[in-house]
Amino acid sequence: MKLFIPDIAYIDPKILKYKESKKTIEYLEKLKVPIVNSKKVVIDSGSPEENYATAKKTVLFTTNGQKKLVSCKPSADYQFSLSSSCPANCEYCYLQTTQGEKPFMKIFLNIEEILENIQTYIETNMPSITSFECASITDPIALEHLSGNLKECIEFFGRSEKGRLRLVTKFDDVDSFLTLKHNKHTKFRFTLNTPYVIDNFEHNTSSFKERIGAVKKIAAAGYPIGFIIAPIMIYDNWRVEYKELFETLKIALADYNDEVSFELIQHRFTKAAKELIVQRFKNTKLDLDEEKRLLKWGPYGKFKYVYKKPESEDMKKYISELINNNFELAIIEYFT
Ligand code: SF4
């Protein structure tokens, strides 16, 4: 798909002392992106929906001063960020409720400091391996061409004896990662779903076909590979379409002989998310009917609506069977 080009870029004066800033500013100028030299992002487009749309095209280049990393179980030991938010508009995105009314993107340019901090965590945990997730609050692939940070990060982990990196994306712009010295220390995961889910709810992401193309390239480049199948939804033709998904994936990975991991996440929503979703996506086809769902207490201190037991058990069984029938070396990490 076409690269994301922001409508406007804010430059926090703090970043000017980092060598990465010069390259980034020159690149933004080449792309003809208007630049504002300020760390204060002003978005006032009239209505909450317009503010949301404007924010999704606005980027602040700044620094990440977070020293204390938080846990990221079950995916990794810790999470850190090279950026936050993303240019996509997935209707069900769980970040809807955590990133406020104006979820503009931030890209952090103090990459050396971020990696130094990670190194202290790796050393403290020696001789064990320490794993890090860098895509919990962003899609790092979508924003990579604006900074080049992730490539530096992947090569850092490639050199690291005990550090491992995981990331996940819905984007296909992977060509610049294919020749990196990753040393199999970065696990590349793709979020996949049926064409129905992608086409109806994942606006401004790569299509199913584009993601499969990127999967093939990353597999051929020798990265460890995984998939997040999420959010799994029940709709008219769901069984047929999920079956086709795994059959297509099997063909795409015909030459890949390593283990492939799967994380399975059923569709869920909170009350607060539903309110925002219906405001931002007035004609949404998302099934947000609380009556059809089971209210469950979530680990982040919020009630969420998941599928009722018989449906979620059927879903888990069916999807697990599809995976095991198509992949000899499949590991299903969890279903939630
Ligand atoms: S790509 Fe991920 S982070 Fe971005 S809107 Fe979609 S679900 Fe949210």
Side-chain angles (χ1 to χ4, degrees):
M1 73 178 285
K2 266 182 28 203
L3 288 179
F4 161 69
I5 311 288
D7 280 0
I8 187 162
Y10 286 77
I11 303 285
D12 179 345
K14 263 197 306 210
I15 67 162
L16 298 176
K17 68 175 188 188
Y18 299 98
K19 66 175 183 347
E20 289 76 12
S21 65
K22 189 166 177 283
K23 206 175 66 191
T24 292
I25 291 169
E26 281 171 7
Y27 184 55
L28 290 169
E29 284 169 350
K30 197 171 131 214
L31 294 173
K32 300 201 171 16
V33 175
I35 293 175
V36 179
N37 289 305
S38 169
K39 68 172 182 182
K40 193 170 177 336
V41 173
V42 181
I43 295 174
D44 192 3
S45 301
S47 67
E49 303 90 271
E50 283 163 14
N51 284 342
Y52 169 75
T54 305
K56 283 284 190 171
K57 291 179 176 165
T58 302
V59 178
L60 168 66
F61 290 86
T62 185
T63 56
N64 182 352
Q66 188 188 11
K67 290 270 186 262
K68 189 166 170 21
L69 301 183
V70 294
S71 153
C72 191
K73 299 286 184 191
S75 159
D77 295 313
Y78 297 102
Q79 52 180 293
F80 71 94
S81 308
L82 301 172
S83 53
S84 68
S85 190
C86 87
N89 309 85
C90 301
E91 296 188 10
Y92 55 74
C93 178
Y94 75 100
L95 299 177
Q96 300 266 13
T97 45
T98 57
Q99 293 189 328
E101 193 190 306
K102 299 166 188 171
F104 59 85
M105 284 147 273
K106 290 183 190 162
I107 296 180
F108 306 121
L109 288 191
N110 57 329
I111 179 76
E112 280 176 23
E113 290 168 2
I114 294 171
L115 296 178
E116 273 167 24
N117 191 40
I118 285 169
Q119 182 62 24
T120 62
Y121 277 82
I122 296 172
E123 282 169 14
T124 309
N125 202 23
M126 290 277 209
S128 303
I129 285 186
T130 313
S131 58
F132 298 83
E133 167 69 70
C134 73
S136 319
I137 58 164
T138 187
D139 191 308
I141 304 299
L143 298 171
E144 172 66 0
H145 76 107
L146 297 170
S147 75
N149 274 351
L150 183 57
K151 286 189 272 297
E152 203 168 324
C153 196
I154 288 175
E155 294 211 312
F156 164 85
F157 278 95
R159 291 188 298 274
S160 173
E161 202 195 330
K162 299 290 181 184
R164 298 292 181 272
L165 180 67
R166 288 161 77 89
L167 60 96
V168 61
T169 186
K170 288 191 176 104
F171 286 80
D172 69 336
D173 180 28
V174 297
D175 287 0
S176 63
F177 300 99
L178 304 181
T179 53
L180 297 182
K181 294 193 178 78
H182 58 78
N183 208 11
K184 294 192 184 289
H185 290 180
T186 293
K187 182 165 192 172
F188 235 100
R189 287 127 79 222
F190 291 86
T191 303
L192 283 185
N193 220 315
T194 60
Y196 170 82
V197 175
I198 293 176
D199 296 347
N200 281 297
F201 309 118
E202 298 184 352
H203 314 294
N204 295 321
T205 64
S206 297
S207 68
F208 180 76
K209 204 171 153 211
E210 287 169 333
R211 289 185 216 178
I212 292 291
V215 168
K216 283 180 170 173
K217 290 180 187 173
I218 287 294
Y223 283 89
I225 280 211
F227 299 94
I228 299 188
I229 310 297
I232 306 171
M233 293 186 193
I234 294 178
Y235 55 92
D236 278 354
N237 207 24
W238 73 279
R239 287 180 193 276
V240 173
E241 290 201 5
Y242 281 101
K243 184 166 182 282
E244 285 168 0
L245 184 163
F246 291 107
E247 287 168 356
T248 308
L249 194 55
K250 181 184 179 175
I251 295 167
L253 290 177
D255 297 328
Y256 191 76
N257 299 316
D258 288 333
E259 185 183 285
V260 184
S261 67
F262 292 89
E263 296 157 76
L264 311 178
I265 306 174
Q266 61 171 306
H267 177 239
R268 75 270 320 279
F269 59 91
T270 62
K271 248 201 173 358
K274 178 176 173 176
E275 276 170 28
L276 267 176
I277 292 166
V278 295
Q279 180 190 68
R280 287 177 177 170
F281 304 97
K282 299 230 179 304
N283 301 317
T284 186
K285 289 188 196 162
L286 275 178
D287 181 1
L288 300 170
D289 183 352
E290 292 94 337
E291 296 296 312
K292 292 202 238 149
R293 299 292 179 111
L294 173 76
L295 193 57
K296 202 175 160 188
W297 181 246
Y300 300 107
K302 282 186 187 132
F303 278 108
K304 58 192 174 181
Y305 291 94
V306 296
Y307 283 101
K308 289 188 173 162
K309 265 261 155 8
E311 285 164 325
S312 69
E313 276 168 10
D314 176 32
M315 180 190 276
K316 180 180 178 184
K317 185 167 173 284
Y318 181 62
I319 301 285
S320 303
E321 273 170 14
L322 290 176
I323 291 171
N324 290 325
N325 290 344
N326 282 291
F327 297 92
E328 258 176 52
L329 297 175
I331 302 226
I332 298 175
E333 294 188 345
Y334 60 84
F335 171 91
T336 178

